[in-house]
Amino acid sequence: MSRVYFVMFLLIVLSIFFGMNYFAYSRVANGLTFSGNFRRALQISMLAFTLLFILGEVLSRRTDFFLAKAVLGAGSIWVGLVVMAFTFLVLADIGRLFLHSPLQRYWLTISALILLVLTGSYSIYNVARFPRLKTIHIKVDELRLPKSVPSFTIVQLSDLHLHKLRSKAWLEGIVEETNRQNPDLIVITGDLVDSDICKPPLGRASPSGGGTDFCSVLRRLRAKYGVFAVTGNHDFYAGIDTFMNAAKESGITVLRNNNVKLNDFIQLVGVDDNTGKSFGESGCDLASALKTPNVIGKGKLVILLSHQPDIFDEAIKNGVNLQLSGHTHAGQIPPVDILVQLNFKYPCGFYTVNSSHLYTTSGTGFWGPPMRLFSRCEIVKIVIEH
């Protein structure tokens, strides 16, 4: 990604963020009829919280000190609250089309703020819970499986977004729960990393903690046919070399527009995320993935790993039996969840078209604000059976 592209992207994101903050400030100040010192105090407070996120991002990239993580965590929650506030205050604006008096406008604003506190608090609690185990059963008459094999179990992890705000204990719990399912295959459908997870903590000489611990934990994943992954957009943002090194150190095989024969009846295919094109990589190439290095034989059960789900239509045409994807996070919080539903054809959940199947997971982790309203973090267990 060129420096100009990055700067433009950063300016757009910051403009939207500051714009949302100003919108929230103006609606609250006007709706509650603040003036003078109250208005100025609200202005200063919101600006301070807005800068807190930026400060946290800068500090967390330069130090592993606990305070830096706390600042980034608080700033990230503020981002989520502002995004949700935008949604509820827009709804209040719609209400003002019918309710015109100052008192009615006041109570519309109060109602929006109460709703924000309730849903925001629940969203923080919801994402803090351990990921649920989501089990999907696919019968053998839908996918090809020899009668001599009673079942085939896949555990899908996705969108872990490993970085400084994640804890070793959190990842250990996910690895333990994954291994507890005794899977034949473990797959990671993109966005494994958001930073270098295999280097010593900043400012320390010993490689015994922090990021290094993530790789040592991931190495504990166990499955009969191994652990496979594909790239996600954030894996390119973090640096493709960083991601590939993390995968190597963690004992994970990465499929990049290629496929591998697992046994006599399953061919596993993986495609790169299209974000790679912005970094001088080839991006998603399903045609090459299906042909390289093996030609997929007739009668094979073909499983495709693709970070983004909407390649499914192309996968159907190419005879893919099962596609596993992530990326969307189910939107996490409003109005992002609405935008996800509008922007993706297969935003979240289980889909069947003809004899092909797709599961788009909401993700094992989260990105950005540690908040989820209408979705859960999840570990997905797919059981192909007779």
Side-chain angles (χ1 to χ4, degrees):
M1 182 185 293
S2 68
R3 184 170 296 180
V4 173
Y5 181 91
F6 174 77
V7 170
M8 289 179 61
F9 174 77
L10 186 62
L11 288 175
I12 291 171
V13 170
L14 288 176
S15 297
I16 293 172
F17 181 43
F18 277 98
M20 282 187 165
N21 272 272
Y22 180 77
F23 174 84
Y25 157 75
S26 63
R27 290 300 185 272
V28 171
N30 294 333
L32 300 183
T33 63
F34 282 170
S35 61
N37 291 336
F38 285 106
R39 197 177 188 96
R40 193 170 298 109
L42 179 64
Q43 213 172 39
I44 294 171
S45 299
M46 291 189 68
L47 179 60
F49 276 110
T50 301
L51 296 176
L52 193 67
F53 172 70
I54 299 173
L55 177 63
E57 281 286 348
V58 172
L59 288 177
S60 67
R61 295 174 189 278
R62 287 166 170 75
T63 177
D64 280 315
F65 187 51
F66 172 77
L67 183 60
K69 297 181 181 181
V71 170
L72 179 58
S76 297
I77 290 174
W78 176 252
V79 172
L81 290 174
V82 167
V83 171
M84 293 177 73
F86 176 84
T87 305
F88 301 142
L89 291 170
V90 166
L91 292 176
D93 275 355
I94 295 172
R96 291 188 186 101
L97 297 175
F98 308 96
L99 304 171
H100 305 289
S101 74
L103 183 60
Q104 289 171 329
R105 293 180 62 185
Y106 174 86
W107 283 110
L108 279 172
T109 305
I110 289 292
S111 298
L113 292 176
I114 291 174
L115 187 59
L116 174 63
V117 171
L118 293 176
T119 56
S121 299
Y122 175 76
S123 297
I124 295 168
Y125 158 76
N126 193 31
V127 87
R129 291 194 284 174
F130 188 76
R132 67 177 178 178
L133 179 66
K134 171 79 172 182
T135 303
I136 299 169
H137 293 269
I138 302 176
K139 294 297 182 181
V140 72
D141 58 349
E142 297 178 85
L143 290 178
R144 301 160 183 170
L145 190 70
K147 291 185 178 180
S148 58
V149 181
S151 65
F152 189 89
T153 300
I154 305 168
V155 172
Q156 178 192 12
L157 306 176
S158 190
D159 300 275
L160 286 160
H161 290 282
L162 296 177
H163 61 80
K164 295 178 185 299
L165 287 185
R166 298 292 190 270
S167 72
K168 178 183 175 184
W170 175 79
L171 185 59
E172 284 177 334
I174 290 170
V175 169
E176 288 171 7
E177 182 65 22
T178 299
N179 289 341
R180 194 175 293 124
Q181 306 313 310
N182 193 26
D184 294 296
L185 175 68
I186 297 172
V187 299
I188 302 174
T189 49
D191 283 2
L192 174 64
V193 303
D194 265 335
S195 64
D196 189 345
I197 65 169
C198 291
K199 69 178 182 180
L202 294 170
R204 299 184 194 177
S206 170
S208 60
T212 304
D213 279 338
F214 286 137
C215 290
S216 65
V217 173
L218 288 170
R219 279 197 298 271
R220 299 176 200 165
L221 288 169
R222 293 290 181 266
K224 180 178 180 180
Y225 294 99
V227 184
F228 292 84
V230 290
T231 58
N233 51 315
H234 281 257
D235 298 315
F236 284 103
Y237 299 153
I240 190 61
D241 291 338
T242 297
F243 165 73
M244 293 299 292
N245 180 64
K248 180 180 178 182
E249 292 295 318
S250 304
I252 298 169
T253 301
V254 181
L255 298 177
R256 303 191 63 188
N257 295 325
N258 62 346
N259 68 82
V260 61
K261 177 182 176 182
L262 295 183
N263 51 33
D264 290 336
F265 56 91
I266 292 182
Q267 203 90 15
L268 185 65
V269 183
V271 292
D272 256 357
D273 189 81
N274 258 335
T275 303
K277 291 180 179 179
S278 299
F279 295 84
E281 302 287 338
S282 60
C284 177
D285 189 345
L286 182 58
S288 293
L290 291 168
K291 297 174 183 177
T292 308
N294 303 302
V295 177
I296 294 175
K298 188 176 181 180
K300 290 277 188 181
L301 188 147
V302 181
I303 300 172
L304 171 65
L305 309 181
S306 170
H307 181 56
Q308 301 200 35
D310 284 357
I311 192 180
F312 187 47
D313 288 333
E314 184 182 351
I316 294 168
K317 296 175 184 177
N318 284 276
V320 170
N321 302 112
L322 174 63
Q323 177 181 321
L324 300 175
S325 297
H327 181 63
T328 68
H329 292 241
Q332 291 191 201
I333 56 175
V336 184
D337 49 3
I338 298 173
L339 297 177
V340 163
Q341 292 290 328
L342 294 174
N343 192 48
F344 291 91
K345 186 175 180 178
Y346 306 102
C348 191
F350 187 68
Y351 304 89
T352 299
V353 179
N354 300 326
S355 59
S356 297
H357 307 270
L358 161 68
Y359 187 73
T360 305
T361 176
S362 59
T364 312
F366 63 89
W367 179 77
M371 304 168 76
R372 281 188 184 272
L373 185 56
F374 298 116
S375 64
R376 284 282 303 276
C377 297
E378 63 183 19
I379 297 168
V380 185
K381 179 181 180 180
I382 301 105
V383 182
I384 303 170
E385 59 191 357
H386 294 289

